[in-house]
Amino acid sequence: MKVNYIIKNAFVMTMEGKGVGMIENGAIAIKDNKIQAVGTSDDISRDYTADEVIDGKNKLVMPGLIDAHIHTGIGILRGVSQDINNWMQEGLWPFMKHVTVEDNVKGSMMNIVEGIKAGTTTFCDYDGNMNQIVENYVKVGARARVAELVNEIPEDIGDIPVGELYPFYSEIGNRKLNNNIRLMEEWHEAENGRITCMLGPHGPDMMSLELMLEMKSLAEKYDTKLHMHVAQGDREIDQMVKRYGKRSIAFLDEIGYLNERLLAVHLTEATKEETMQVARSGAKMINCSGSIGIIDGIVPPILEFLEAGGTAALGSDQAPGNNCNNMFNEMKFVSILNKVKSRNPSVFPAHLALRLATIESAKAIGLEHEVGSLKAGKKADLLIVDLQEPSMSPIITAPIRNIVPNLVYSAKGSEVEAVMVDGKFIMRDKEILTISEKEVVEVAQLAAYGISQKAQGDIFPNSPLLQRMESGEL
Amino acid sequence: MKVNYIIKNAFVMTMEGKGVGMIENGAIAIKDNKIQAVGTSDDISRDYTADEVIDGKNKLVMPGLIDAHIHTGIGILRGVSQDINNWMQEGLWPFMKHVTVEDNVKGSMMNIVEGIKAGTTTFCDYDGNMNQIVENYVKVGARARVAELVNEIPEDIGDIPVGELYPFYSEIGNRKLNNNIRLMEEWHEAENGRITCMLGPHGPDMMSLELMLEMKSLAEKYDTKLHMHVAQGDREIDQMVKRYGKRSIAFLDEIGYLNERLLAVHLTEATKEETMQVARSGAKMINCSGSIGIIDGIVPPILEFLEAGGTAALGSDQAPGNNCNNMFNEMKFVSILNKVKSRNPSVFPAHLALRLATIESAKAIGLEHEVGSLKAGKKADLLIVDLQEPSMSPIITAPIRNIVPNLVYSAKGSEVEAVMVDGKFIMRDKEILTISEKEVVEVAQLAAYGISQKAQGDIFPNSPLLQRMESGEL
């Protein structure tokens, strides 16, 4: 049978089965936008011919990585708010208040390019202005599962003093909800199914009970998931207790949110019992090690979540918090942070991190029938990784293989040399093929310059960041 | 005045002063192997002409990174021993026992290339067979400050059951000490001072009191430092208590080791009081976040060490433990691990991590008169970093600059596009100029294959790694 591509003589890490499903001297055949077959090089060479046969010697073929939680819209503010206690109010906000829709779109594209270069093929993007941002995914050719960030809080939320209850405005909620509905109606299953949509309530503290219940009904109507921050910080818990007299997870349980439709992002402040309750409910957890480490100095309770039988995924969150949007970074951090949290080096082995960035992530976001592993019939979303980069060398295959630990603990992301989504290469030889990376960066740079000019007077005079700037630390 | 190189229109991060010493629109002039001048582009352009003027627009010029603790010799075993409790015995040893001197040298070169590509210009290499390994630095053109690993334990130390006291053999100690002395006599200040030497006692548990005292005298005779593991694991403390009835640091204090000649590596098991005692003694600490996180699941007490006024540096340790030898990885990990250890995001700000990989590291290892910052008269060891990589974009300069946090929390190492050591470019446009990277990797690959063939029968049948291999997790 004739297919479009065969990649052979490679290590093929399928992520099928309970481990990583490694096939040595393996091959994969791709026809149109799907995986036609996976097997040994001999089997595939016998059964298929191809328009292009790629020699995968000393290379690894693996499923594309899934970033289950990313806000690409604020990529434009990478690195403006680190090493401080009030990340949002003191660091992000003075810049954030000047970001326009156009800035969001420009920063998003730079962020998406960063992710693709580090092997991300599916982006669970969750941000305002998603009806505009989504067009970036059309252009660049990546897979996206997008949600509009819906809340009822005013635009100047960053100016509300910590501890004061947020006001809710139903006209704001209606506008944003309508954006989410429009996204769903216009974009779900677009681009041959490459774009799919979810609903995106911002967090239980950011909107009224009425709007939360309306979004729950809509999730049932559209048979989709609710991508939402849950127990994401002490400020959320404080708002919940002040408003409802209960913590986030008890509240969500009461209003019927704790079920398989919920993607509960962060759980930073969830107790062990709350975490287990979420896991047992069938809701999924998205763990963002890098951003929560940097913003809060906390390791989220993913071990407890997994122990209770929950399905979890990894996310890179946003560039002004985590600074990078690189799933190799997330795999490494979730493993090592949980080892030190447990003071046990055998905790969170490398293959588990890989699963949470591929097949388990696909299950969590509800795309396991399409992506997350290399299997005949699934969409052809895959990476070719150069194992001859010094950081991945040497390759040892007996008596044990060293590829999996090196992929998690050593790879930086720059070892990815090719990225295929939906059967099309969108990067080869480390070059993005669908758009001009140089232009994307230059456009974002200009936009960031404009924002920084406007932000000049807005940073608090006593900001620790301004003090660092003045003392030469930045 | 005519110089060899001018790099201008760049962000020049000098690491002079208390912060990072950033000069916007800065320039640097390099003559022979030294920095002739650092200043604004206008000043340097007015005062100097050059054989080559490099446009540094949208680039960062910074001091080369110093890896203060690396064992390149076992680079050949990258990734063979992760996610287990007895790293040395169960993971490393079945392979390690088959590693020859030639394998050490080949693995070392691959490791050095990895480091250079991620911006390391000075390697504090600490390993057996250093008289052979040192030639790699001559060939590749990096700066090295090397020590022979001296101990009196038998070659088959990995076979001694955990808990049993090591035997010491003075003939082994004499041979290794003689190697260290030969290294010192033949290589110290070689290659125009690019190679310097230290003494390398393996650890207080690995050798007799007599040999420790002899090495202390030698350090005074040669006026050099003692690079040594201290309190590196519970096994060391157990050996010390069984042999001497006291813990490592009390023992070292008693025998006169706690002073400015000592580079105390790891301090994994040091209590707060012991850590402060080491800091106050003038001894330096080398902190290896990645390897100690992976091998032990521990965050070493560097915050306490710094609070007590100590001078500390960062090291990448070894590839079978940390998997990568990349100082960007170490900077990121030391910051984030200490934030979560303290549950405080303002702890260990980015500029501190940068200092510990540059100027503070130079102070710790005793090379601050030559490297660690960009200053007229110092050796020209520097990096050019591409700030237009998406991971470093956009550049924001007002009201605060985002370059420092992005360098620590986002850069992977692959943003480094050029590396200069001793006034010579050893990498440009991401290509190593002094040797063939491809050949280095292929040579190491062949050597690793040979080792893995010999190791087949040596891995313990009940090894958790073998179980992982069998269950498809590797």
Side-chain angles (χ1 to χ4, degrees), chain A residues 131 181-188 190:
Chain A
N131 284 279
I181 293 170
R182 181 154 65 92
L183 187 73
M184 186 66 81
E185 298 279 353
E186 292 182 10
W187 289 98
H188 189 60

Side-chain angles (χ1 to χ4, degrees), chain A residues 260 272 275-285 301-313 352 356 360 363-364:
Chain A
E260 67 291 333
K272 184 175 178 181
T275 303
M276 291 172 70
Q277 184 184 0
V278 177
R280 284 190 300 252
S281 76
K284 318 304 179 191
M285 172 179 181
I302 187 167
L303 284 175
E304 291 87 340
F305 188 87
L306 294 172
E307 273 160 27
T311 299
L352 179 59
L356 266 59
E360 298 299 324
K363 289 178 195 166

Side-chain angles (χ1 to χ4, degrees), chain A residues 18-22 24 58 75-85 95 110-111 113-114 117-118 268-269 289-290 292-299 319 321-326 329 332-333 335-337 339-351 387-406 409-414 437-438 441-442 444-445 448-449 451-453 455-457 459 463 465-466 468-469 471-474, chain B residues 18-22 24 58 75-85 95 110-111 113-114 117-118 268-269 289-290 292-299 319 321-326 329 332-333 335-337 339-351 387-406 409-414 437-438 441-442 444-445 448-449 452-453 455-457 459 463 465-466 468-469 471-474:
Chain A
K18 286 190 174 176
V20 299
M22 186 77 81
E24 288 191 14
N58 293 318
I76 197 72
L77 300 181
R78 185 192 305 279
V80 299
S81 181
Q82 273 61 50
D83 305 323
I84 58 174
N85 283 295
F95 292 91
M110 183 201 64
N111 229 198
V113 169
E114 179 195 8
K117 289 182 83 178
T268 316
E269 295 287 334
S289 285
I292 301 302
I294 294 175
I295 296 173
D296 298 308
I298 290 176
V299 182
N322 191 17
N323 299 51
C324 56
N325 296 90
N326 176 329
N329 186 69
K332 187 188 288 198
F333 266 98
S335 283
I336 299 182
L337 286 176
K339 288 179 197 307
V340 305
K341 188 178 183 182
S342 311
R343 209 179 161 130
N344 181 349
S346 70
V347 156
F348 230 108
H351 75 279
L387 300 179
Q388 289 194 307
E389 273 280 325
S391 54
M392 291 301 293
S393 293
I395 305 164
I396 291 175
T397 57
I400 56 153
R401 260 190 304 263
N402 66 349
I403 296 173
V404 167
N406 286 340
Y409 301 123
S410 182
K412 305 176 288 291
S414 53
E437 177 184 334
K438 190 169 184 299
V441 168
E442 285 171 357
Q445 179 60 57
Y449 179 75
I451 297 164
S452 86
Q453 290 301 104
Q456 301 267 10
I459 200 157
S463 154
L465 290 174
L466 213 51
R468 286 221 172 94
M469 186 71 185
S471 64
E473 294 172 2
L474 291 177
Chain B
K18 287 190 175 177
V20 299
M22 186 76 81
E24 288 191 15
N58 294 320
I76 197 72
L77 299 181
R78 184 192 306 278
V80 299
S81 181
Q82 272 62 51
D83 304 323
I84 57 174
N85 283 294
F95 292 90
M110 183 201 63
N111 230 196
V113 169
E114 179 195 6
K117 288 181 83 179
T268 316
E269 296 286 334
S289 285
I292 300 304
I294 294 175
I295 297 173
D296 298 309
I298 290 175
V299 182
N322 190 17
N323 300 51
C324 55
N325 296 91
N326 176 330
N329 185 70
K332 187 189 288 198
F333 267 98
S335 284
I336 298 181
L337 286 176
K339 287 180 197 305
V340 304
K341 188 179 183 181
S342 311
R343 211 182 160 129
N344 182 348
S346 70
V347 156
F348 230 108
H351 76 280
L387 300 179
Q388 289 193 306
E389 273 282 324
S391 54
M392 291 299 293
S393 292
I395 306 164
I396 292 175
T397 56
I400 56 152
R401 259 190 306 263
N402 65 350
I403 297 173
V404 166
N406 286 338
Y409 300 123
S410 183
K412 305 176 287 293
S414 53
E437 177 183 334
K438 190 168 185 298
V441 168
E442 284 171 357
Q445 181 60 56
Y449 179 75
S452 85
Q453 290 302 103
Q456 302 266 8
I459 201 158
S463 153
L465 290 174
L466 213 51
R468 285 219 173 95
M469 185 71 183
S471 64
E473 295 173 1
L474 291 177

